[in-house]
Amino acid sequence: MVHDVIASNPTVDRITGKLSDQSLLFRYTIKLVLIVSFSELILYRLVSRLGMHLSKLAQEHEWIIPTFTALTQIGQWLLNVVAILLFLALSVAAVNRVSTRGFTGSNRIVIPCVALLLLLTVGFLLVPPAFLGSAIYNIVALVVLICLMVEYLSTHTEWSHRAMGITYLLGVGGWLYYQIMSTIYSFIGTVQAPPLVYEAHRGGEGLLVLSSILVMWAYGQGVSFRTRNQRQRRRAIWFWATSISVFTAMLFLDYILHRYDAGMASNIRKAADGIGWIFQFGMGYTFFLPFAFYLTGLLCWSYTVIKLLNMGRLAGYGLGLMFIAGYALLYSNLTLMVVLGAMLLSMDRQRRDATESAPATNAPMVSRPDSLVGGHI
């Protein structure tokens, strides 16, 4: 009888792995990693490049050089803070994975590789890496990301999640393949270009931009036309109408401005080239695609991450770190940031729980009182 009642109960999807479910040390470490990483991105990887781009303007205004020098020094200090926090966060996350799942399954590969990445990072601080050392570091990072993404794909059956995860893995994999093959060929000493490295580099950037757009499809619920809530439906209509209009305007902006005023179009094109130069050195994007795609990815990623952070989901912190690291993982802390983000993303999943059991048929009119001692012997 009880089995039939439980079997007839519907199940609901519940989010597990929220940040509030983790230990106090892990919660504050992850929050600090995200805040400091975003600050480092703005102050060091972007603002410092902007100061280099304003060298001509600095000759006319004396305050520009000391201001950007101070911001760059703060960014360099934040870079060291991010590295320390990443070490702590990855260590705590690895211990949690072993304590909750044991040293089985994907942990047999993920945990040793994460430990090896941390050891290599410390070793490279003492001895600068050569070509072979850089290749080994990138190979280990690629193995960790593949294992984490396979785990993510196995626990997330929605097509939107799988499309986002696959495109991100292929995007970052394009960069890692470019780095691995280039360093190996340099170590060998051959002048021949590695096979498909430039295609992988360009294709990886395009897939990473596509993944930043698919993030909203996977996690940015609330802007769908299929909802029955009239307020949410109006919000969705307004959002998509505005987004499509802005995207179309950005896509044909250069052509329209050139027809209206060729001089203005040339000035805006030069400004866009300057922005692309800053982001190329700061995050690795070469902007070979139309600027509208990059802007769309930035808006979709920002909306989704802010929404997930407000919900307290680990996916928000994971996606935030994965895309804050950018495309070109030129520093070891950026690689560790991507690994930590992928670990957080795999921890955010859904489980199916039974709802409250329905009242049993033919139940007695008077229920049995609970024992005063709580039923314990």
Side-chain angles (χ1 to χ4, degrees), residues 135-163:
I136 294 175
Y137 191 89
N138 289 322
I139 290 174
V140 175
L142 182 59
V143 172
V144 174
L145 291 177
I146 291 175
C147 293
L148 291 174
M149 278 303 171
V150 169
E151 178 183 336
Y152 174 81
L153 296 176
S154 64
T155 56
H156 293 74
T157 58
E158 296 85 354
W159 282 107
S160 57
H161 291 173
R162 291 187 169 183

Side-chain angles (χ1 to χ4, degrees), residues 14-29:
R14 300 182 186 274
I15 300 297
T16 184
K18 287 189 176 182
L19 187 64
S20 58
D21 299 333
Q22 308 301 319
S23 64
L24 188 64
L25 175 62
F26 188 75
R27 293 203 303 265
Y28 282 100
T29 303

Side-chain angles (χ1 to χ4, degrees), residues 124-292:
F124 290 159
L125 294 176
L126 303 176
V127 180
F131 293 116
L132 185 59
S134 299
I136 294 175
Y137 191 89
N138 289 322
I139 290 174
V140 175
L142 182 59
V143 172
V144 174
L145 291 177
I146 291 175
C147 293
L148 291 174
M149 278 303 171
V150 169
E151 178 183 336
Y152 174 81
L153 296 176
S154 64
T155 56
H156 293 74
T157 58
E158 296 85 354
W159 282 107
S160 57
H161 291 173
R162 291 187 169 183
M164 186 275 298
I166 292 173
T167 52
Y168 183 85
L169 177 62
L170 294 177
V172 175
W175 165 261
L176 292 176
Y177 174 80
Y178 169 78
Q179 287 292 100
I180 292 170
M181 297 303 297
S182 298
T183 50
I184 289 178
Y185 270 59
S186 299
F187 175 75
I188 296 175
T190 179
V191 295
Q192 184 180 2
L196 301 176
V197 287
Y198 298 109
E199 292 81 0
H201 184 275
R202 287 296 182 93
E205 180 179 342
L207 288 172
L208 201 66
V209 174
L210 176 60
S211 179
S212 65
I213 298 174
L214 295 178
V215 161
M216 188 171 180
W217 180 34
Y219 290 97
Q221 295 84 4
V223 288
S224 175
F225 296 108
R226 293 180 294 181
T227 179
R228 295 181 179 180
N229 191 314
Q230 295 295 331
R231 183 178 180 181
Q232 292 183 356
R233 184 176 298 177
R234 288 194 298 267
R235 185 186 305 170
I237 293 174
W238 176 87
F239 175 83
W240 288 113
T242 304
S243 301
I244 294 174
S245 301
V246 173
F247 178 81
T248 305
M250 292 294 298
L251 197 61
F252 297 99
L253 179 62
D254 185 74
Y255 173 77
I256 296 174
L257 289 177
H258 184 75
R259 294 294 299 270
Y260 176 74
D261 189 344
M264 180 184 297
S266 178
N267 294 331
I268 293 179
R269 195 179 300 115
K270 291 180 180 179
D273 292 339
I275 296 175
W277 182 84
I278 295 170
F279 275 87
Q280 179 178 357
F281 282 88
M283 301 185 71
Y285 294 111
T286 60
F287 283 77
F288 74 96
L289 296 172
F291 182 75

Side-chain angles (χ1 to χ4, degrees), residues 75-89:
Q76 291 177 344
W77 177 78
L78 291 176
L79 190 67
N80 297 326
V81 176
V82 169
I84 296 173
L85 292 175
L86 284 172
F87 268 75
L88 178 60

